[in-house]
Amino acid sequence: MINNKIKLLFKKWLCKVVAFYTDQPYELVLNEHHQFALKPSSDTQSTKWFLVVGRQHYNEQLNAYPIGNKKELKQLLEIEKKSKDKQQATTQTLVTVMAAEQSQVMQWQFAKDLPKAWFTLPESLLMSQTVNDGEVILNTHHNASFITKHQKNVCSSLQSKIINSPERFASMFGIPLSKVININTEQEYLERVINGLYAVPKQYLQAFLNIPVNIFNKRLALRYSAIFGGIFVVYGLLTSGYLVFKTHQLESQLDANKATVNRALNTLNVYMTSRDALQQRQQLLQQLPITSPVFLVISDLFNSAELSSISWQEGRFVLRGKANKATDALATVMQDSRVEDAKFDYPSRKERGGESFVISFVLNTGNDQVIPAVSEQGAQ
């Protein structure tokens, strides 16, 4: 709810500082649904902060200069600008690419009869900030035009008999065409332009600064500074309060769920321990070639020892493993009534985590006295 109020305040502020000039002057307003809309304006005296100019009211050109020095390039552009300004036009330049031996400069030449504004912005620049390379906007709102972006440069053109499709437009500029974005309604047009105003690099704006004649004075500067300062302070306070509230809410939820999380972790720990014990027993049982009561003997050992192997050697079962005390493991084996002649085959050795042992024994059941059968060929 707080975010919605902040967005609404910001939209109202944009309506005060942004104006449009397409087929005629327009004001930016909000409709009953709090969406942007255009309203014809008869106010030609007030000066807006931002004026968005339709494609039919300026010429756009990309120039390349064999200059890599920023200072030299700036001097050359100032000379060209003075020459073009004498032709009853206002020229704005923007250096988009500067390399060691060559620089690329975008130039926009605006008509002289445009309304006054601090920043006069071409709609093609703003709308190009909302697309990726290869995406072409077909804007049919007011005068039809094509707009795209290629390697940081703006490419646009009014629709004509020759350039009458996105494919021909892309072919003219030698750029790939991957997607066509149709802009048919006023709402779609405004959404693209406003999003472009958000996305345009702020260092680009200084290239379009045009201080209106007889408009700058100390009182006006203080007035707008106070407005901007107040907006940013209010926005900062509201945002900080919202973040504090959300942080407290999330911490409360975390505390409430902590007991549930701990129970889940304990359950997971028990499951992992049981799974590891089961896998260990399955690995040991898979090693035995016959079914034998020896399983009943070694089942008690799993509670106090870790068995690494079980083998049949010369009529005896041989257990290899590790326990806290090897003698306890031998005593556990000897307690079973099926076991005879249980003994250590080798002296136990102390290791990290316990003592290793090798225990062998014989089962007194008839089935376990038989050595596992071998192939007839092996018996021969």
Side-chain angles (χ1 to χ4, degrees), residues 3-36:
N3 276 343
N4 292 335
K5 290 183 178 180
I6 294 175
K7 290 179 180 178
L8 181 58
L9 287 174
F10 192 67
K11 284 184 175 181
K12 291 181 178 179
W13 176 77
L14 283 177
C15 291
K16 293 181 179 180
V17 299
V18 178
F20 285 76
Y21 189 84
T22 52
D23 57 334
Q24 67 179 70
Y26 286 94
E27 296 178 14
L28 184 64
V29 296
L30 294 179
N31 59 21
E32 63 275 12
H33 303 294
H34 293 159
Q35 294 178 332
F36 288 119

PDB file of all heavy atoms in Angstrom, residues 3-36:
ATOM      1  N   ASN A   3       3.905   1.436  -1.153  1.00  0.00           N
ATOM      2  CA  ASN A   3       4.545   1.521  -2.471  1.00  0.00           C
ATOM      3  C   ASN A   3       3.598   2.131  -3.501  1.00  0.00           C
ATOM      4  O   ASN A   3       4.018   2.925  -4.356  1.00  0.00           O
ATOM      5  CB  ASN A   3       4.985   0.131  -2.927  1.00  0.00           C
ATOM      6  CG  ASN A   3       6.334  -0.256  -2.357  1.00  0.00           C
ATOM      7  OD1 ASN A   3       7.075   0.606  -1.897  1.00  0.00           O
ATOM      8  ND2 ASN A   3       6.656  -1.526  -2.383  1.00  0.00           N
ATOM      9  N   ASN A   4       2.314   1.774  -3.445  1.00  0.00           N
ATOM     10  CA  ASN A   4       1.342   2.326  -4.383  1.00  0.00           C
ATOM     11  C   ASN A   4       1.207   3.837  -4.208  1.00  0.00           C
ATOM     12  O   ASN A   4       1.085   4.584  -5.196  1.00  0.00           O
ATOM     13  CB  ASN A   4      -0.017   1.656  -4.191  1.00  0.00           C
ATOM     14  CG  ASN A   4       0.008   0.193  -4.625  1.00  0.00           C
ATOM     15  OD1 ASN A   4       0.828  -0.193  -5.447  1.00  0.00           O
ATOM     16  ND2 ASN A   4      -0.886  -0.605  -4.073  1.00  0.00           N
ATOM     17  N   LYS A   5       1.207   4.312  -2.968  1.00  0.00           N
ATOM     18  CA  LYS A   5       1.123   5.753  -2.726  1.00  0.00           C
ATOM     19  C   LYS A   5       2.357   6.479  -3.244  1.00  0.00           C
ATOM     20  O   LYS A   5       2.266   7.576  -3.807  1.00  0.00           O
ATOM     21  CB  LYS A   5       0.933   6.015  -1.233  1.00  0.00           C
ATOM     22  CG  LYS A   5      -0.436   5.593  -0.705  1.00  0.00           C
ATOM     23  CD  LYS A   5      -0.592   5.957   0.764  1.00  0.00           C
ATOM     24  CE  LYS A   5      -1.987   5.590   1.283  1.00  0.00           C
ATOM     25  NZ  LYS A   5      -2.151   5.927   2.711  1.00  0.00           N
ATOM     26  N   ILE A   6       3.509   5.855  -3.043  1.00  0.00           N
ATOM     27  CA  ILE A   6       4.760   6.467  -3.536  1.00  0.00           C
ATOM     28  C   ILE A   6       4.740   6.547  -5.058  1.00  0.00           C
ATOM     29  O   ILE A   6       5.110   7.567  -5.658  1.00  0.00           O
ATOM     30  CB  ILE A   6       5.967   5.667  -3.034  1.00  0.00           C
ATOM     31  CG1 ILE A   6       6.089   5.771  -1.508  1.00  0.00           C
ATOM     32  CG2 ILE A   6       7.248   6.166  -3.691  1.00  0.00           C
ATOM     33  CD1 ILE A   6       7.183   4.908  -0.919  1.00  0.00           C
ATOM     34  N   LYS A   7       4.289   5.460  -5.709  1.00  0.00           N
ATOM     35  CA  LYS A   7       4.223   5.459  -7.173  1.00  0.00           C
ATOM     36  C   LYS A   7       3.257   6.517  -7.678  1.00  0.00           C
ATOM     37  O   LYS A   7       3.524   7.195  -8.679  1.00  0.00           O
ATOM     38  CB  LYS A   7       3.802   4.077  -7.672  1.00  0.00           C
ATOM     39  CG  LYS A   7       4.859   3.000  -7.484  1.00  0.00           C
ATOM     40  CD  LYS A   7       4.360   1.657  -7.990  1.00  0.00           C
ATOM     41  CE  LYS A   7       5.421   0.582  -7.793  1.00  0.00           C
ATOM     42  NZ  LYS A   7       4.925  -0.752  -8.246  1.00  0.00           N
ATOM     43  N   LEU A   8       2.119   6.681  -6.983  1.00  0.00           N
ATOM     44  CA  LEU A   8       1.143   7.682  -7.403  1.00  0.00           C
ATOM     45  C   LEU A   8       1.704   9.093  -7.263  1.00  0.00           C
ATOM     46  O   LEU A   8       1.514   9.942  -8.152  1.00  0.00           O
ATOM     47  CB  LEU A   8      -0.139   7.531  -6.577  1.00  0.00           C
ATOM     48  CG  LEU A   8      -1.285   8.503  -6.921  1.00  0.00           C
ATOM     49  CD1 LEU A   8      -1.683   8.349  -8.389  1.00  0.00           C
ATOM     50  CD2 LEU A   8      -2.472   8.262  -6.002  1.00  0.00           C
ATOM     51  N   LEU A   9       2.402   9.363  -6.166  1.00  0.00           N
ATOM     52  CA  LEU A   9       3.021  10.681  -5.985  1.00  0.00           C
ATOM     53  C   LEU A   9       4.055  10.948  -7.077  1.00  0.00           C
ATOM     54  O   LEU A   9       4.160  12.065  -7.605  1.00  0.00           O
ATOM     55  CB  LEU A   9       3.683  10.752  -4.600  1.00  0.00           C
ATOM     56  CG  LEU A   9       2.727  10.853  -3.400  1.00  0.00           C
ATOM     57  CD1 LEU A   9       3.525  10.759  -2.095  1.00  0.00           C
ATOM     58  CD2 LEU A   9       1.945  12.152  -3.441  1.00  0.00           C
ATOM     59  N   PHE A  10       4.818   9.902  -7.425  1.00  0.00           N
ATOM     60  CA  PHE A  10       5.846  10.070  -8.456  1.00  0.00           C
ATOM     61  C   PHE A  10       5.202  10.323  -9.818  1.00  0.00           C
ATOM     62  O   PHE A  10       5.690  11.139 -10.613  1.00  0.00           O
ATOM     63  CB  PHE A  10       6.728   8.832  -8.504  1.00  0.00           C
ATOM     64  CG  PHE A  10       7.971   9.012  -9.322  1.00  0.00           C
ATOM     65  CD1 PHE A  10       8.966   9.882  -8.922  1.00  0.00           C
ATOM     66  CD2 PHE A  10       8.143   8.319 -10.514  1.00  0.00           C
ATOM     67  CE1 PHE A  10      10.118  10.062  -9.676  1.00  0.00           C
ATOM     68  CE2 PHE A  10       9.283   8.484 -11.277  1.00  0.00           C
ATOM     69  CZ  PHE A  10      10.269   9.356 -10.857  1.00  0.00           C
ATOM     70  N   LYS A  11       4.088   9.635 -10.099  1.00  0.00           N
ATOM     71  CA  LYS A  11       3.383   9.869 -11.361  1.00  0.00           C
ATOM     72  C   LYS A  11       2.861  11.304 -11.440  1.00  0.00           C
ATOM     73  O   LYS A  11       2.950  11.952 -12.487  1.00  0.00           O
ATOM     74  CB  LYS A  11       2.233   8.877 -11.505  1.00  0.00           C
ATOM     75  CG  LYS A  11       2.650   7.471 -11.883  1.00  0.00           C
ATOM     76  CD  LYS A  11       1.436   6.586 -12.107  1.00  0.00           C
ATOM     77  CE  LYS A  11       1.830   5.213 -12.598  1.00  0.00           C
ATOM     78  NZ  LYS A  11       0.653   4.339 -12.844  1.00  0.00           N
ATOM     79  N   LYS A  12       2.315  11.787 -10.335  1.00  0.00           N
ATOM     80  CA  LYS A  12       1.806  13.168 -10.317  1.00  0.00           C
ATOM     81  C   LYS A  12       2.942  14.163 -10.530  1.00  0.00           C
ATOM     82  O   LYS A  12       2.759  15.196 -11.190  1.00  0.00           O
ATOM     83  CB  LYS A  12       1.092  13.446  -8.996  1.00  0.00           C
ATOM     84  CG  LYS A  12      -0.227  12.691  -8.839  1.00  0.00           C
ATOM     85  CD  LYS A  12      -0.901  13.027  -7.516  1.00  0.00           C
ATOM     86  CE  LYS A  12      -2.244  12.322  -7.383  1.00  0.00           C
ATOM     87  NZ  LYS A  12      -2.923  12.620  -6.094  1.00  0.00           N
ATOM     88  N   TRP A  13       4.098  13.857  -9.965  1.00  0.00           N
ATOM     89  CA  TRP A  13       5.251  14.746 -10.166  1.00  0.00           C
ATOM     90  C   TRP A  13       5.680  14.747 -11.628  1.00  0.00           C
ATOM     91  O   TRP A  13       5.985  15.801 -12.200  1.00  0.00           O
ATOM     92  CB  TRP A  13       6.395  14.308  -9.266  1.00  0.00           C
ATOM     93  CG  TRP A  13       7.636  15.100  -9.483  1.00  0.00           C
ATOM     94  CD1 TRP A  13       7.917  16.357  -9.047  1.00  0.00           C
ATOM     95  CD2 TRP A  13       8.792  14.684 -10.237  1.00  0.00           C
ATOM     96  NE1 TRP A  13       9.166  16.755  -9.465  1.00  0.00           N
ATOM     97  CE2 TRP A  13       9.726  15.753 -10.197  1.00  0.00           C
ATOM     98  CE3 TRP A  13       9.128  13.528 -10.915  1.00  0.00           C
ATOM     99  CZ2 TRP A  13      10.958  15.677 -10.822  1.00  0.00           C
ATOM    100  CZ3 TRP A  13      10.367  13.447 -11.544  1.00  0.00           C
ATOM    101  CH2 TRP A  13      11.262  14.517 -11.492  1.00  0.00           C
ATOM    102  N   LEU A  14       5.669  13.559 -12.267  1.00  0.00           N
ATOM    103  CA  LEU A  14       6.037  13.490 -13.681  1.00  0.00           C
ATOM    104  C   LEU A  14       5.081  14.318 -14.532  1.00  0.00           C
ATOM    105  O   LEU A  14       5.492  14.954 -15.507  1.00  0.00           O
ATOM    106  CB  LEU A  14       6.030  12.032 -14.158  1.00  0.00           C
ATOM    107  CG  LEU A  14       7.226  11.164 -13.752  1.00  0.00           C
ATOM    108  CD1 LEU A  14       7.040   9.733 -14.225  1.00  0.00           C
ATOM    109  CD2 LEU A  14       8.532  11.728 -14.311  1.00  0.00           C
ATOM    110  N   CYS A  15       3.801  14.305 -14.161  1.00  0.00           N
ATOM    111  CA  CYS A  15       2.832  15.085 -14.924  1.00  0.00           C
ATOM    112  C   CYS A  15       3.138  16.585 -14.861  1.00  0.00           C
ATOM    113  O   CYS A  15       2.784  17.339 -15.779  1.00  0.00           O
ATOM    114  CB  CYS A  15       1.416  14.830 -14.402  1.00  0.00           C
ATOM    115  SG  CYS A  15       0.795  13.165 -14.758  1.00  0.00           S
ATOM    116  N   LYS A  16       3.763  17.023 -13.802  1.00  0.00           N
ATOM    117  CA  LYS A  16       4.103  18.442 -13.659  1.00  0.00           C
ATOM    118  C   LYS A  16       5.353  18.840 -14.434  1.00  0.00           C
ATOM    119  O   LYS A  16       5.509  20.003 -14.818  1.00  0.00           O
ATOM    120  CB  LYS A  16       4.295  18.789 -12.187  1.00  0.00           C
ATOM    121  CG  LYS A  16       3.016  18.693 -11.358  1.00  0.00           C
ATOM    122  CD  LYS A  16       3.287  19.078  -9.916  1.00  0.00           C
ATOM    123  CE  LYS A  16       2.016  19.005  -9.068  1.00  0.00           C
ATOM    124  NZ  LYS A  16       2.262  19.378  -7.657  1.00  0.00           N
ATOM    125  N   VAL A  17       6.254  17.884 -14.667  1.00  0.00           N
ATOM    126  CA  VAL A  17       7.552  18.251 -15.250  1.00  0.00           C
ATOM    127  C   VAL A  17       7.739  17.744 -16.674  1.00  0.00           C
ATOM    128  O   VAL A  17       8.705  18.133 -17.341  1.00  0.00           O
ATOM    129  CB  VAL A  17       8.709  17.712 -14.369  1.00  0.00           C
ATOM    130  CG1 VAL A  17       8.650  18.311 -12.977  1.00  0.00           C
ATOM    131  CG2 VAL A  17       8.695  16.187 -14.297  1.00  0.00           C
ATOM    132  N   VAL A  18       6.851  16.875 -17.166  1.00  0.00           N
ATOM    133  CA  VAL A  18       7.013  16.299 -18.506  1.00  0.00           C
ATOM    134  C   VAL A  18       5.885  16.781 -19.416  1.00  0.00           C
ATOM    135  O   VAL A  18       4.711  16.784 -19.024  1.00  0.00           O
ATOM    136  CB  VAL A  18       7.018  14.754 -18.453  1.00  0.00           C
ATOM    137  CG1 VAL A  18       7.148  14.181 -19.871  1.00  0.00           C
ATOM    138  CG2 VAL A  18       8.162  14.257 -17.582  1.00  0.00           C
ATOM    139  N   ALA A  19       6.248  17.189 -20.621  1.00  0.00           N
ATOM    140  CA  ALA A  19       5.276  17.576 -21.640  1.00  0.00           C
ATOM    141  C   ALA A  19       5.646  16.887 -22.954  1.00  0.00           C
ATOM    142  O   ALA A  19       6.770  16.396 -23.123  1.00  0.00           O
ATOM    143  CB  ALA A  19       5.246  19.091 -21.814  1.00  0.00           C
ATOM    144  N   PHE A  20       4.683  16.876 -23.900  1.00  0.00           N
ATOM    145  CA  PHE A  20       4.902  16.221 -25.189  1.00  0.00           C
ATOM    146  C   PHE A  20       4.576  17.198 -26.323  1.00  0.00           C
ATOM    147  O   PHE A  20       3.724  18.095 -26.184  1.00  0.00           O
ATOM    148  CB  PHE A  20       4.001  14.989 -25.325  1.00  0.00           C
ATOM    149  CG  PHE A  20       4.458  13.804 -24.520  1.00  0.00           C
ATOM    150  CD1 PHE A  20       4.275  13.755 -23.146  1.00  0.00           C
ATOM    151  CD2 PHE A  20       5.083  12.738 -25.149  1.00  0.00           C
ATOM    152  CE1 PHE A  20       4.696  12.668 -22.407  1.00  0.00           C
ATOM    153  CE2 PHE A  20       5.499  11.639 -24.417  1.00  0.00           C
ATOM    154  CZ  PHE A  20       5.312  11.597 -23.044  1.00  0.00           C
ATOM    155  N   TYR A  21       5.269  16.991 -27.439  1.00  0.00           N
ATOM    156  CA  TYR A  21       4.965  17.751 -28.642  1.00  0.00           C
ATOM    157  C   TYR A  21       5.041  16.774 -29.807  1.00  0.00           C
ATOM    158  O   TYR A  21       6.120  16.433 -30.286  1.00  0.00           O
ATOM    159  CB  TYR A  21       5.950  18.900 -28.836  1.00  0.00           C
ATOM    160  CG  TYR A  21       5.543  19.850 -29.945  1.00  0.00           C
ATOM    161  CD1 TYR A  21       4.637  20.874 -29.708  1.00  0.00           C
ATOM    162  CD2 TYR A  21       6.038  19.705 -31.231  1.00  0.00           C
ATOM    163  CE1 TYR A  21       4.250  21.735 -30.710  1.00  0.00           C
ATOM    164  CE2 TYR A  21       5.662  20.565 -32.246  1.00  0.00           C
ATOM    165  CZ  TYR A  21       4.759  21.583 -31.991  1.00  0.00           C
ATOM    166  OH  TYR A  21       4.366  22.431 -32.987  1.00  0.00           O
ATOM    167  N   THR A  22       3.875  16.306 -30.250  1.00  0.00           N
ATOM    168  CA  THR A  22       3.815  15.384 -31.385  1.00  0.00           C
ATOM    169  C   THR A  22       3.167  16.103 -32.552  1.00  0.00           C
ATOM    170  O   THR A  22       3.839  16.824 -33.279  1.00  0.00           O
ATOM    171  CB  THR A  22       3.049  14.103 -31.001  1.00  0.00           C
ATOM    172  OG1 THR A  22       1.781  14.473 -30.432  1.00  0.00           O
ATOM    173  CG2 THR A  22       3.827  13.298 -29.968  1.00  0.00           C
ATOM    174  N   ASP A  23       1.851  15.942 -32.742  1.00  0.00           N
ATOM    175  CA  ASP A  23       1.183  16.748 -33.770  1.00  0.00           C
ATOM    176  C   ASP A  23       0.809  18.121 -33.251  1.00  0.00           C
ATOM    177  O   ASP A  23       0.536  19.051 -34.007  1.00  0.00           O
ATOM    178  CB  ASP A  23      -0.066  16.016 -34.269  1.00  0.00           C
ATOM    179  CG  ASP A  23      -1.033  15.703 -33.129  1.00  0.00           C
ATOM    180  OD1 ASP A  23      -0.567  15.578 -31.978  1.00  0.00           O
ATOM    181  OD2 ASP A  23      -2.239  15.583 -33.396  1.00  0.00           O
ATOM    182  N   GLN A  24       0.809  18.270 -31.883  1.00  0.00           N
ATOM    183  CA  GLN A  24       0.547  19.543 -31.224  1.00  0.00           C
ATOM    184  C   GLN A  24       1.048  19.426 -29.786  1.00  0.00           C
ATOM    185  O   GLN A  24       1.421  18.348 -29.342  1.00  0.00           O
ATOM    186  CB  GLN A  24      -0.959  19.863 -31.245  1.00  0.00           C
ATOM    187  CG  GLN A  24      -1.795  18.912 -30.413  1.00  0.00           C
ATOM    188  CD  GLN A  24      -3.262  19.263 -30.430  1.00  0.00           C
ATOM    189  OE1 GLN A  24      -3.922  19.115 -31.439  1.00  0.00           O
ATOM    190  NE2 GLN A  24      -3.760  19.736 -29.297  1.00  0.00           N
ATOM    191  N   PRO A  25       1.064  20.540 -29.017  1.00  0.00           N
ATOM    192  CA  PRO A  25       1.510  20.441 -27.623  1.00  0.00           C
ATOM    193  C   PRO A  25       0.512  19.625 -26.784  1.00  0.00           C
ATOM    194  O   PRO A  25      -0.701  19.745 -26.952  1.00  0.00           O
ATOM    195  CB  PRO A  25       1.577  21.898 -27.157  1.00  0.00           C
ATOM    196  CG  PRO A  25       1.642  22.700 -28.399  1.00  0.00           C
ATOM    197  CD  PRO A  25       0.851  21.940 -29.426  1.00  0.00           C
ATOM    198  N   TYR A  26       1.059  18.810 -25.878  1.00  0.00           N
ATOM    199  CA  TYR A  26       0.229  18.014 -24.987  1.00  0.00           C
ATOM    200  C   TYR A  26       0.757  18.106 -23.565  1.00  0.00           C
ATOM    201  O   TYR A  26       1.969  18.252 -23.333  1.00  0.00           O
ATOM    202  CB  TYR A  26       0.238  16.534 -25.402  1.00  0.00           C
ATOM    203  CG  TYR A  26      -0.569  16.233 -26.645  1.00  0.00           C
ATOM    204  CD1 TYR A  26       0.044  16.200 -27.897  1.00  0.00           C
ATOM    205  CD2 TYR A  26      -1.930  15.962 -26.563  1.00  0.00           C
ATOM    206  CE1 TYR A  26      -0.682  15.917 -29.044  1.00  0.00           C
ATOM    207  CE2 TYR A  26      -2.672  15.670 -27.706  1.00  0.00           C
ATOM    208  CZ  TYR A  26      -2.040  15.642 -28.945  1.00  0.00           C
ATOM    209  OH  TYR A  26      -2.773  15.359 -30.062  1.00  0.00           O
ATOM    210  N   GLU A  27      -0.172  17.999 -22.620  1.00  0.00           N
ATOM    211  CA  GLU A  27       0.179  17.849 -21.212  1.00  0.00           C
ATOM    212  C   GLU A  27       0.113  16.366 -20.848  1.00  0.00           C
ATOM    213  O   GLU A  27      -0.698  15.619 -21.391  1.00  0.00           O
ATOM    214  CB  GLU A  27      -0.789  18.631 -20.322  1.00  0.00           C
ATOM    215  CG  GLU A  27      -0.767  20.124 -20.511  1.00  0.00           C
ATOM    216  CD  GLU A  27      -1.786  20.819 -19.620  1.00  0.00           C
ATOM    217  OE1 GLU A  27      -2.300  20.135 -18.690  1.00  0.00           O
ATOM    218  OE2 GLU A  27      -2.067  22.000 -19.831  1.00  0.00           O
ATOM    219  N   LEU A  28       0.951  15.965 -19.914  1.00  0.00           N
ATOM    220  CA  LEU A  28       0.898  14.603 -19.386  1.00  0.00           C
ATOM    221  C   LEU A  28      -0.001  14.613 -18.158  1.00  0.00           C
ATOM    222  O   LEU A  28       0.239  15.359 -17.203  1.00  0.00           O
ATOM    223  CB  LEU A  28       2.296  14.113 -19.006  1.00  0.00           C
ATOM    224  CG  LEU A  28       2.400  12.663 -18.527  1.00  0.00           C
ATOM    225  CD1 LEU A  28       2.023  11.697 -19.640  1.00  0.00           C
ATOM    226  CD2 LEU A  28       3.819  12.361 -18.028  1.00  0.00           C
ATOM    227  N   VAL A  29      -1.073  13.806 -18.177  1.00  0.00           N
ATOM    228  CA  VAL A  29      -2.039  13.780 -17.080  1.00  0.00           C
ATOM    229  C   VAL A  29      -2.300  12.338 -16.679  1.00  0.00           C
ATOM    230  O   VAL A  29      -1.838  11.397 -17.331  1.00  0.00           O
ATOM    231  CB  VAL A  29      -3.365  14.458 -17.499  1.00  0.00           C
ATOM    232  CG1 VAL A  29      -3.154  15.927 -17.799  1.00  0.00           C
ATOM    233  CG2 VAL A  29      -3.983  13.731 -18.701  1.00  0.00           C
ATOM    234  N   LEU A  30      -3.053  12.166 -15.585  1.00  0.00           N
ATOM    235  CA  LEU A  30      -3.484  10.850 -15.126  1.00  0.00           C
ATOM    236  C   LEU A  30      -4.987  10.725 -15.335  1.00  0.00           C
ATOM    237  O   LEU A  30      -5.751  11.636 -14.997  1.00  0.00           O
ATOM    238  CB  LEU A  30      -3.153  10.650 -13.643  1.00  0.00           C
ATOM    239  CG  LEU A  30      -1.673  10.599 -13.261  1.00  0.00           C
ATOM    240  CD1 LEU A  30      -1.525  10.429 -11.757  1.00  0.00           C
ATOM    241  CD2 LEU A  30      -0.946   9.475 -13.990  1.00  0.00           C
ATOM    242  N   ASN A  31      -5.417   9.568 -15.867  1.00  0.00           N
ATOM    243  CA  ASN A  31      -6.849   9.345 -16.045  1.00  0.00           C
ATOM    244  C   ASN A  31      -7.469   8.798 -14.765  1.00  0.00           C
ATOM    245  O   ASN A  31      -6.807   8.735 -13.725  1.00  0.00           O
ATOM    246  CB  ASN A  31      -7.106   8.411 -17.232  1.00  0.00           C
ATOM    247  CG  ASN A  31      -6.421   7.061 -17.057  1.00  0.00           C
ATOM    248  OD1 ASN A  31      -6.087   6.662 -15.940  1.00  0.00           O
ATOM    249  ND2 ASN A  31      -6.216   6.358 -18.149  1.00  0.00           N
ATOM    250  N   GLU A  32      -8.730   8.377 -14.845  1.00  0.00           N
ATOM    251  CA  GLU A  32      -9.424   7.898 -13.642  1.00  0.00           C
ATOM    252  C   GLU A  32      -8.835   6.617 -13.085  1.00  0.00           C
ATOM    253  O   GLU A  32      -9.056   6.259 -11.922  1.00  0.00           O
ATOM    254  CB  GLU A  32     -10.917   7.689 -13.945  1.00  0.00           C
ATOM    255  CG  GLU A  32     -11.221   6.625 -14.988  1.00  0.00           C
ATOM    256  CD  GLU A  32     -11.152   7.180 -16.417  1.00  0.00           C
ATOM    257  OE1 GLU A  32     -10.654   8.319 -16.587  1.00  0.00           O
ATOM    258  OE2 GLU A  32     -11.606   6.479 -17.339  1.00  0.00           O
ATOM    259  N   HIS A  33      -8.071   5.891 -13.904  1.00  0.00           N
ATOM    260  CA  HIS A  33      -7.417   4.665 -13.446  1.00  0.00           C
ATOM    261  C   HIS A  33      -5.962   4.905 -13.029  1.00  0.00           C
ATOM    262  O   HIS A  33      -5.201   3.953 -12.878  1.00  0.00           O
ATOM    263  CB  HIS A  33      -7.463   3.603 -14.549  1.00  0.00           C
ATOM    264  CG  HIS A  33      -8.856   3.274 -15.017  1.00  0.00           C
ATOM    265  ND1 HIS A  33      -9.784   2.658 -14.206  1.00  0.00           N
ATOM    266  CD2 HIS A  33      -9.476   3.512 -16.215  1.00  0.00           C
ATOM    267  CE1 HIS A  33     -10.916   2.498 -14.877  1.00  0.00           C
ATOM    268  NE2 HIS A  33     -10.759   3.020 -16.099  1.00  0.00           N
ATOM    269  N   HIS A  34      -5.600   6.173 -12.886  1.00  0.00           N
ATOM    270  CA  HIS A  34      -4.238   6.562 -12.508  1.00  0.00           C
ATOM    271  C   HIS A  34      -3.215   6.089 -13.543  1.00  0.00           C
ATOM    272  O   HIS A  34      -2.086   5.744 -13.192  1.00  0.00           O
ATOM    273  CB  HIS A  34      -3.880   6.011 -11.115  1.00  0.00           C
ATOM    274  CG  HIS A  34      -4.680   6.625 -10.023  1.00  0.00           C
ATOM    275  ND1 HIS A  34      -4.845   6.024  -8.787  1.00  0.00           N
ATOM    276  CD2 HIS A  34      -5.381   7.795  -9.970  1.00  0.00           C
ATOM    277  CE1 HIS A  34      -5.608   6.786  -8.025  1.00  0.00           C
ATOM    278  NE2 HIS A  34      -5.950   7.871  -8.721  1.00  0.00           N
ATOM    279  N   GLN A  35      -3.622   6.075 -14.804  1.00  0.00           N
ATOM    280  CA  GLN A  35      -2.712   5.759 -15.903  1.00  0.00           C
ATOM    281  C   GLN A  35      -2.400   7.035 -16.673  1.00  0.00           C
ATOM    282  O   GLN A  35      -3.214   7.963 -16.740  1.00  0.00           O
ATOM    283  CB  GLN A  35      -3.342   4.726 -16.844  1.00  0.00           C
ATOM    284  CG  GLN A  35      -3.559   3.362 -16.201  1.00  0.00           C
ATOM    285  CD  GLN A  35      -4.231   2.397 -17.154  1.00  0.00           C
ATOM    286  OE1 GLN A  35      -4.980   2.798 -18.040  1.00  0.00           O
ATOM    287  NE2 GLN A  35      -3.979   1.107 -16.958  1.00  0.00           N
ATOM    288  N   PHE A  36      -1.209   7.079 -17.286  1.00  0.00           N
ATOM    289  CA  PHE A  36      -0.797   8.263 -18.026  1.00  0.00           C
ATOM    290  C   PHE A  36      -1.667   8.442 -19.267  1.00  0.00           C
ATOM    291  O   PHE A  36      -2.067   7.479 -19.928  1.00  0.00           O
ATOM    292  CB  PHE A  36       0.665   8.156 -18.428  1.00  0.00           C
ATOM    293  CG  PHE A  36       1.622   8.306 -17.280  1.00  0.00           C
ATOM    294  CD1 PHE A  36       2.481   7.267 -16.936  1.00  0.00           C
ATOM    295  CD2 PHE A  36       1.685   9.479 -16.549  1.00  0.00           C
ATOM    296  CE1 PHE A  36       3.366   7.402 -15.883  1.00  0.00           C
ATOM    297  CE2 PHE A  36       2.571   9.625 -15.495  1.00  0.00           C
ATOM    298  CZ  PHE A  36       3.406   8.577 -15.159  1.00  0.00           C
TER     299      PHE A  36
END
